[in-house]
Amino acid sequence: MGGGALLAVVPALAAGAPTGGAWRDSADARAVTGAAAPVTEGITLHLPNVSDSGAFLPLRLSVEHSRDDFPDTVHVIAPENPFPRVAVFRFTPLAGRARIATRIRLDVSQTVIAVARMRSGTVRVAERAIRIASSGCITPADGDWSEAMRTRVRAPVFEAGVPGEVVTLIKHPMENGLGPDAPPKRIIERFEARLDGEPALAATLGRSVAADPYLRFHLAPRAPGTLRLEWRENTGRRAVERLRVEVR
């Protein structure tokens, strides 16, 4: 589960460059691509090249789109993790931009895969190789459970119809149930952002999302309203945050 000393830095995959084809060897990735022939243009995945630990790895993902061809779903897959399906993000045009940033855990050095299914039916794939020195999947969840489910959110004053960045975090140890004598799984597994009831972003989070789940995404409101964020634990426990959205 853990890695040894770092032997070499894996070079980053340049944006728009052909992928190495790791998705072809991943049953989880192939389940998303289906019979489609994926393209490597129009999707960008960023991760560090190398890290001492796999416990808190910053991930950024963006998908280019037109007004009529928005991504329906974007899947993040870590094929060598015990549970490869890291997260699924569902964007709507209210988001304005199909971009997301979060933090993930990796068990071993590997190539992480992102697969976007577009409304047109096309499929886009990006890959990113990363080398880590120690497993992040069996790191004990040593957070303060008394602080669990506390949320934070920050948003700008928006220009009408112009995407602005929303940043939110929930305190939660994300106990993934792995490792020696680990307690049962207890994770945040659902997130949803709605503006006056209209969905902007929904996410399904897996065991490979890092502790204190963090999301940075976009919103493009045309008028003031109330942004409602909901985080849901696999136990059914929920946290809800409301923020008044100002538009000028």
Side-chain angles (χ1 to χ4, degrees), residues 201-225:
L201 172 70
T204 301
L205 308 178
R207 302 189 198 210
S208 297
V209 172
D212 297 337
Y214 156 90
L215 293 171
R216 193 168 78 233
F217 62 97
H218 282 77
L219 189 69
R222 295 195 171 275

Side-chain angles (χ1 to χ4, degrees), residues 17-99:
T19 64
W23 65 271
R24 296 184 180 89
D25 299 322
S26 166
D28 293 282
R30 293 198 313 274
V32 179
T33 61
V39 298
T40 59
E41 295 82 14
I43 181 170
T44 305
L45 175 65
H46 292 282
L47 280 163
N49 293 335
V50 62
S51 177
D52 289 339
S53 170
F56 288 93
L57 299 170
L59 176 147
R60 289 184 291 119
L61 176 64
S62 64
V63 182
E64 297 174 14
H65 58 85
S66 66
R67 189 175 185 85
D68 298 325
D69 193 19
F70 219 75
D72 274 334
T73 58
V74 182
H75 301 249
V76 178
I77 298 164
E80 303 303 323
N81 275 12
F83 294 88
R85 298 194 180 201
V86 178
V88 182
F89 301 102
R90 296 171 177 83
F91 299 92
T92 77
L94 180 57
R97 290 176 180 159
R99 296 181 182 176

Side-chain angles (χ1 to χ4, degrees), residues 13-208:
L13 294 175
T19 64
W23 65 271
R24 296 184 180 89
D25 299 322
S26 166
D28 293 282
R30 293 198 313 274
V32 179
T33 61
V39 298
T40 59
E41 295 82 14
I43 181 170
T44 305
L45 175 65
H46 292 282
L47 280 163
N49 293 335
V50 62
S51 177
D52 289 339
S53 170
F56 288 93
L57 299 170
L59 176 147
R60 289 184 291 119
L61 176 64
S62 64
V63 182
E64 297 174 14
H65 58 85
S66 66
R67 189 175 185 85
D68 298 325
D69 193 19
F70 219 75
D72 274 334
T73 58
V74 182
H75 301 249
V76 178
I77 298 164
E80 303 303 323
N81 275 12
F83 294 88
R85 298 194 180 201
V86 178
V88 182
F89 301 102
R90 296 171 177 83
F91 299 92
T92 77
L94 180 57
R97 290 176 180 159
R99 296 181 182 176
I100 196 78
T102 189
R103 294 185 293 243
I104 70 171
R105 297 189 251 208
L106 294 182
D107 188 34
V108 295
S109 301
Q110 60 185 287
T111 298
V112 178
I113 304 164
V115 183
R117 294 196 64 93
M118 309 298 290
R119 291 186 176 181
S120 62
T122 60
V123 176
R124 301 176 185 177
V125 174
E127 299 178 357
R128 185 79 174 192
I130 175 172
R131 188 173 291 276
I132 63 172
S134 62
S135 172
C137 290
I138 58 173
T139 301
D142 56 359
D144 184 354
W145 281 100
S146 68
E147 295 288 317
M149 307 303 284
R150 293 193 179 186
T151 61
R152 302 176 192 167
V153 60
R154 184 179 73 240
V157 175
F158 294 88
E159 299 285 343
V162 178
E165 193 173 76
V166 178
V167 180
T168 187
L169 176 145
I170 184 167
K171 295 291 293 180
H172 198 285
M174 294 290 281
E175 176 54 71
N176 60 18
L178 301 175
D181 304 316
K185 180 182 79 168
R186 185 177 169 188
I187 65 170
I188 298 293
E189 64 178 8
R190 296 283 187 274
F191 171 82
E192 187 176 70
R194 289 177 175 265
L195 181 64
D196 289 341
E198 183 181 352
L201 172 70
T204 301
L205 308 178
R207 302 189 198 210
S208 297

